[in-house]
Amino acid sequence: DTGVSQDPRHKITKRGQNVTFRCDPISEHNRLYWYRQTLGQGPEFLTYFQNEAQLEKSRLLSDRFSAERPKGSFSTLEIQRTEQGDSAMYLCASSLATATYEQYFGPGTRLTVT
Amino acid sequence: GQQLNQSPQSMFIQEGEDVSMNCTSSSIFNTWLWYKQEPGEGPVLLIALYKAGELTSNGRLTAQFGITRKDSFLNISASIPSDVGIYFCAGLFNQFYFGTGTSLTVIP
């Protein structure tokens, strides 16, 4: 399968714990995006990388959130001191820098904070 | 942030019927996209539109980029049960902004 993959698919954690999600983009794609989606809403942009550089962050990305893409391949999204309001689907997408509109999404990681 | 309004919010139709949905914004976008999302999965890109007035088809799906650049439309002809899902529009202006979705149910 050469699509975007995300791990884990589901994560249940207690409030206050830290969680980390991983995204593996399509191999030739140099742009990688993170979105958050809550029930009944469309995805909301969080941040994106071109290669290893983080080029933009949304105001939704509080200081408890951090994302990395150390070698320009896979990316991780960490949430520290999780809150119940962080419960959502976290989606990763990737694209070529020359065709930013053609974003291909992974299956998402469903986070539940209890 | 930018607000994209989709209508209708939900649709219940008989198999074989045509479907129309739209997406409007208070801001101008350079690119419009339409995605379909099924439960527990990420959105799947259906159609991308790059120029005002552009009309693009993908099988039974046809989408249009509004002349004002503030709206877009998606039509599905001769619906089938596998068309069930939530359809999202997305507009590109520096970053992507997604609509709230139209939930489609097709009754066999």
Side-chain angles (χ1 to χ4, degrees), chain A residues 36-44 85-90 110, chain B residues 88:
Chain A
R36 181 177 72 185
Q37 185 177 27
T38 53
L39 202 61
Q41 300 296 318
E44 295 175 294
D86 296 331
S87 295
M89 174 81 89
Y90 289 85
R110 168 73 66 191
Chain B
F88 289 102

Side-chain angles (χ1 to χ4, degrees), chain B residues 67-80:
Chain B
I67 290 291
T68 65
R69 294 169 61 193
K70 293 183 178 181
D71 54 11
S72 181
F73 309 88
L74 177 70
N75 295 313
I76 305 173
S77 63
S79 58
I80 59 178

Side-chain angles (χ1 to χ4, degrees), chain A residues 9 37 42 45 56 101 103 106, chain B residues 33 35 37 40 42 50 95-96:
Chain A
R9 293 292 307 271
Q37 185 177 27
F45 171 79
E56 191 166 342
Y101 37 81
Q103 294 188 12
Chain B
L33 304 104
Y35 285 87
Q37 187 173 27
Y50 312 125
Q95 69 185 51
F96 277 103

Side-chain angles (χ1 to χ4, degrees), chain B residues 10-77:
Chain B
S10 61
M11 303 180 76
F12 293 82
I13 62 167
Q14 292 288 138
E15 182 177 358
E17 289 184 358
D18 296 344
V19 172
S20 292
M21 60 187 78
N22 67 70
C23 186
T24 60
S25 168
S26 56
S27 302
I28 290 172
F29 287 103
N30 300 322
T31 298
W32 284 94
L33 304 104
W34 285 92
Y35 285 87
K36 178 188 176 187
Q37 187 173 27
E38 298 184 23
E41 299 297 327
V44 174
L45 181 63
L46 300 174
I47 292 181
L49 301 157
Y50 312 125
K51 290 192 295 190
E54 179 181 353
L55 189 71
T56 297
S57 293
N58 177 8
R60 294 178 297 105
L61 278 61
T62 302
Q64 184 162 23
F65 193 142
I67 290 291
T68 65
R69 294 169 61 193
K70 293 183 178 181
D71 54 11
S72 181
F73 309 88
L74 177 70
N75 295 313
I76 305 173
S77 63

Side-chain angles (χ1 to χ4, degrees), chain A residues 36-96:
Chain A
R36 181 177 72 185
Q37 185 177 27
T38 53
L39 202 61
Q41 300 296 318
E44 295 175 294
F45 171 79
L46 292 178
T47 188
Y48 90 92
F49 293 83
Q50 179 155 318
N51 300 313
E52 64 275 9
Q54 189 171 14
L55 295 186
E56 191 166 342
K57 289 193 241 184
S58 160
R59 61 178 175 78
L60 294 174
L61 212 67
S62 76
D63 56 7
R64 296 185 298 106
F65 288 69
S66 62
E68 294 183 341
R69 194 183 183 198
K71 297 181 180 177
S73 56
F74 72 92
S75 175
T76 57
L77 178 69
E78 181 182 16
I79 309 174
Q80 296 182 323
R81 306 181 302 281
T82 52
E83 302 172 356
Q84 287 188 319
D86 296 331
S87 295
M89 174 81 89
Y90 289 85
L91 293 163
C92 174
S94 70
S95 74
L96 291 169

